[in-house]
Amino acid sequence: MKIFDSATHEVRDFVPVTPGKVGLYLCGPTVQGAPHLGHLRAALNFDVLVRWLRRRGYAVTYVRNVTDIDDKILAKSAAAGVPWWELAAHFEREFDFAYRALNTVPPTVTPHATGHIPQQIALIERLLERGHAYSDTNGNVYFSVTSLPDYGALTNQPVSELASTEDESQIDTATETGKRDPRDFALWKAAKDDEPSDAAWDAPWGRGRPGWHLECSAMSQAYLGDTFDIHGGGLDLRFPHHENEMAQSHGAGWGFARYWMHNAWLTLKGEKMSKSVGNVVGVRRLLEDWDPAVVRMSVVTTHYRTNLEYSEDSLKQAALLWDKFTSFLLQVPRSVPAETAAPEVRNVYGDVNPDLARQRELAAVELPDDFVAALDDDLNVPGALPALHRTLKTGKAALNSGDTTGAQQEALQLRAMLDVFGLDPHDPAWVASVSAAETPGTAPNPTETPNDSLTALVTALLQQRGEAKAQRDWGRADAIRDLLQTHVAPVVDTPAGVQCGSVTFS
């Protein structure tokens, strides 16, 4: 497998730190507003990477952080008249909704900046001891960029040519005044009288809060170690955020990321989609008009390093492609091996996971050589698409000739490839929309009846929930309810029985 390393600007052979394992850190959201499609591009592109690495047999530790305290969150919460932590929690739920709706695999861990203050203080102490940081005696601590010979190596920018290494949103007069050099950046910001008292923590140099860049260095080291494999994020984060992350970590004596991957922008009329520009397309609003699978298809089928122009036409093309695949697969009778046909299987944690059988079924399918070669070549999804179209064509020919077995084999291979993109139509995330959508690209009607396999699965899970409640096993009952509500519909107890979507079990 080869990866384009943003630090060296070359395609490099991927050799993980530990054979068979991959540590991946992805910069997650700053939860100061509702997510738009531009936010979701990184999550979707790196979701495909995680799926592909796991498909190739790697055990992936996937870390995606949440920035739940920073200047923007404090400013917006003050303007809205709500506590900063309430605003952050509200918008974190909005991001969680978007991640689930677009069928992204959950990270191994989702660390929060506010949950790792001790680790960040310890990192600052380490940088102070090693001569890379200093306090201004007013409670602020800064990183000295000239103390690190390789500062600027990620983006190939000499320190002498820089005016500042701070993001504009993080600059304020009170913090700037204590710097020895205007190019230094804040590691710790002293508490201010006009900010909430609970937005600060005690530290050896004074009460305050961490700088924006600090959290990612501290949390990646906490979960992935001193040196890990891949650091990912949007192209706009390369400078100053990722440059400063790397400086902090190298200053601490850590190897940090061995490969850097950056996804390109999602644009609207040629401009990067951004709240500051005002050209955003909110995820909730978008999903009112478009099937989530179509939205996902429109994003993941573009190479992650290519700018993606958002338009109605691009969504219509994605809708036609989605309909082409699903129409064929719905015509082919499914043939599920007996050993994977059980409606309930459990994951390694012992939780009910009725989708595990589908995953095992697809994992056993051999993928076409050209499909594998394309994805191994820096995750070249567009280069992998011809294999899907060829398989679809062969499957249709088999179906038209009455060769049901041949059609089933091609359908299974097509599903296995689509699953790498998070788009297997038989994935529980999509089953209801595939069976309900009459017009390509339209949002599914949640009142429509799901297909027979989903009905049987939901009925079985409702029965198991009833049995768990009868045995007073509330933990298992709640787990089943949460599973159904995440992937199917709300679970409601009615006089006629328990209802989930169109299924009622009495």
Side-chain angles (χ1 to χ4, degrees), residues 31-60:
V31 285
Q32 45 95 9
H36 57 70
L37 194 56
H39 289 135
L40 270 293
R41 182 169 190 193
L44 289 169
N45 286 151
F46 285 94
D47 182 74
V48 175
L49 175 64
V50 170
R51 289 171 182 270
W52 182 240
L53 288 169
R54 287 175 175 164
R55 175 76 200 202
R56 295 295 271 151
Y58 291 104
V60 180

Side-chain angles (χ1 to χ4, degrees), residues 6-7 38 44-45 117 130 135 153 208 270 307 347 422 434 485-486:
S6 307
L44 289 169
N45 286 151
I117 300 298
R130 294 171 66 90
S135 171
N307 281 351
N347 62 21
V434 169
Q485 293 191 155
T486 298

Side-chain angles (χ1 to χ4, degrees), residues 456-474:
L457 180 60
V458 171
T459 302
L461 287 173
L462 290 176
Q463 180 178 0
Q464 292 165 24
R465 177 174 177 265
E467 292 169 354
K469 291 178 69 176
Q471 298 166 7
R472 305 182 69 80
D473 186 350
W474 308 118

Side-chain angles (χ1 to χ4, degrees), residues 283-301:
V283 174
R284 279 194 181 271
R285 177 67 185 87
L286 184 65
L287 297 183
E288 289 176 5
D289 297 326
W290 294 92
D291 187 325
V294 168
V295 175
R296 182 180 175 102
M297 177 78 77
S298 72
V299 174
V300 303
T301 50

Side-chain angles (χ1 to χ4, degrees), residues 218-234:
M219 293 190 294
S220 62
Q221 191 275 339
Y223 293 99
L224 299 174
D226 294 359
T227 302
F228 58 93
D229 298 299
I230 302 171
H231 193 310

Side-chain angles (χ1 to χ4, degrees), residues 351-485:
D351 301 323
V352 175
N353 185 351
D355 187 43
L356 199 54
R358 180 191 67 86
Q359 297 172 25
R360 289 173 177 171
E361 175 190 20
L362 298 182
V365 177
E366 185 175 352
L367 300 175
D369 290 343
D370 55 342
F371 180 87
V372 173
L375 290 179
D376 274 351
D377 182 16
D378 192 34
L379 210 66
N380 184 5
V381 174
L385 291 178
L388 279 79
H389 290 290
R390 184 181 65 246
T391 303
L392 174 65
K393 182 178 180 180
T394 305
K396 281 185 173 181
L399 192 64
N400 292 335
S401 67
D403 181 6
T404 303
T405 301
Q408 288 175 331
Q409 291 174 345
E410 299 300 324
L412 195 58
Q413 187 174 79
L414 178 60
R415 287 181 51 217
M417 289 187 282
L418 285 169
D419 189 58
V420 172
F421 305 150
L423 287 166
D424 171 26
H426 290 299
D427 187 321
W430 311 127
V431 168
S433 66
V434 169
S435 61
E438 297 293 336
T439 305
T442 58
N445 182 347
T447 64
E448 295 284 346
T449 304
N451 67 11
D452 292 342
S453 61
L454 182 64
T455 300
L457 180 60
V458 171
T459 302
L461 287 173
L462 290 176
Q463 180 178 0
Q464 292 165 24
R465 177 174 177 265
E467 292 169 354
K469 291 178 69 176
Q471 298 166 7
R472 305 182 69 80
D473 186 350
W474 308 118
R476 183 162 180 256
D478 289 346
I480 296 172
R481 178 203 62 204
D482 293 344
L483 179 73
L484 288 167
Q485 293 191 155

